[in-house]
């Protein structure tokens, strides 16, 4: 027997796929965020300078630090974009669900 598929099943499948993608982007961003402190400390330790403040300035002027910061910023931007995309998909699902619920109530009243 063929039962009609749930009208929301495509939206649910899209949300599940997006959630997996969002999880991967979140993991990549958090891995870089976790590495940030260690990377900064290593560069500060290796930087020339007499005081800690001078070493910090020299370390942050290092091109390696700029590359890392750009990589971190890009990972955060991708993650935030995916979060927004997921939020839009979730609102689309909620809208479709409420519309289906209201239409069902109207159909029952007409019967």
């Amino acid at each position: 027997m063929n039962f009609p598929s749930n009208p929301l099943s495509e939206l649910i499948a899209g949300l599940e796929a997006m959630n997996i993608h969002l999880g991967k982007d979140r993991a990549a961003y958090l891995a870089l965020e976790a590495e940030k402190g260690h990377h900064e400390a290593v560069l500060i330790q290796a930087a020339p300078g007499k005081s800690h403040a001078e070493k910090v300035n020299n370390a942050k002027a290092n091109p390696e630090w700029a590359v890392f910061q750009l990589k971190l910023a890009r990972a955060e931007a991708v993650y935030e974009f995916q979060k927004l995309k997921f939020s839009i998909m979730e609102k689309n699902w909620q809208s479709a669900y409420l519309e289906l619920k209201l239409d069902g109530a109207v159909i029952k009243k007409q019967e």
Side-chain angles (χ1 to χ4, degrees):
M1 187 178 248
N2 281 339
F3 291 105
S5 67
N6 183 343
L8 300 176
S9 60
E10 284 184 30
L11 292 172
I12 292 170
L15 278 170
E16 289 174 352
M18 187 64 208
N19 196 32
I20 291 169
H21 193 64
L22 178 61
K24 289 177 184 176
D25 288 336
R26 180 177 188 258
Y29 165 65
L30 290 177
L32 284 173
E33 188 65 42
E35 185 184 332
K36 180 182 175 183
H38 174 73
H39 191 68
E40 182 178 17
V42 168
L43 287 176
I44 289 171
Q45 187 177 27
K50 295 178 183 173
S51 68
H52 180 71
E54 187 179 2
K55 284 182 164 236
V56 168
N57 282 337
N58 288 336
K60 289 188 176 182
N62 187 331
E64 186 180 341
W65 179 252
V67 169
F68 178 80
Q69 285 296 104
L70 287 173
K71 190 175 173 184
L72 178 63
R74 177 68 183 143
E76 184 177 10
V78 167
Y79 171 58
E80 291 297 328
F81 175 77
Q82 296 301 340
K83 276 180 26 180
L84 288 172
K85 198 172 171 183
F86 183 82
S87 176
I88 291 168
M89 290 177 74
E90 189 176 34
K91 287 176 180 154
N92 188 24
W93 179 87
Q94 294 239 344
S95 172
Y97 171 76
L98 291 173
E99 184 178 331
L100 189 64
K101 189 176 173 181
L102 289 172
D103 288 348
V106 169
I107 290 170
K108 283 183 182 178
K109 281 185 179 181
Q110 289 177 354
E111 293 175 349

